[in-house]
Amino acid sequence: MRCVIARFPFDLSKSGVLASMKGVKPEPITGESVLIGRRHYPVKQVGEVITRQDRRDFTSGEVTRAMTRLGFTCQGGQVAQGTVQPTHVLTPLQNASALLGSAAPLGL
């Protein structure tokens, strides 16, 4: 599949990406990630490996679009590391109640 990353055209294939990432140790994920094989990699790390360009030359969105079109699963934020992102922010009182195991509902 032909895609443009950092204003340069690349002919990428799923098997080519798998081969390029084989043996590459994933860095800690701080933003968007892509699942390649059984490992989650930061999108910028994948982009750097497959394009051989500096990470500052392309956006994570460019690589995410390319990986999604190739059939890889991409995730945003810290979801890939197993952290739960809250749907709403608790007030200090609600947080303390939750920590103490209060029987009061959190949606006051």
Side-chain angles (χ1 to χ4, degrees):
M1 176 193 73
R2 192 161 183 86
C3 61
V4 176
I5 299 174
R7 294 176 279 141
F8 292 99
F10 292 94
D11 287 318
L12 300 176
S13 67
K14 189 168 187 171
S15 60
V17 172
L18 288 168
S20 295
M21 296 306 292
K22 187 174 183 176
V24 176
K25 183 180 176 187
E27 297 173 357
I29 297 171
T30 58
E32 296 177 341
S33 67
V34 60
L35 178 65
I36 299 176
R38 291 180 287 166
R39 294 180 170 185
H40 286 275
Y41 292 90
V43 171
K44 288 281 201 165
Q45 180 184 13
V46 174
E48 184 175 53
V49 171
I50 65 173
T51 65
R52 295 183 185 96
Q53 294 182 344
D54 190 276
R55 296 173 190 212
R56 295 172 290 186
D57 293 341
F58 54 85
T59 66
S60 60
E62 291 174 306
V63 179
T64 300
R65 279 189 297 276
M67 295 297 105
T68 302
R69 286 178 53 199
L70 286 173
F72 292 104
T73 302
C74 298
Q75 297 178 337
Q78 296 274 331
V79 176
Q81 291 182 340
T83 59
V84 177
Q85 295 180 350
T87 56
H88 67 282
V89 178
L90 299 177
T91 65
L93 177 61
Q94 291 172 329
N95 189 32
S97 296
L99 290 172
L100 293 173
S102 173
L106 294 177
L108 293 176

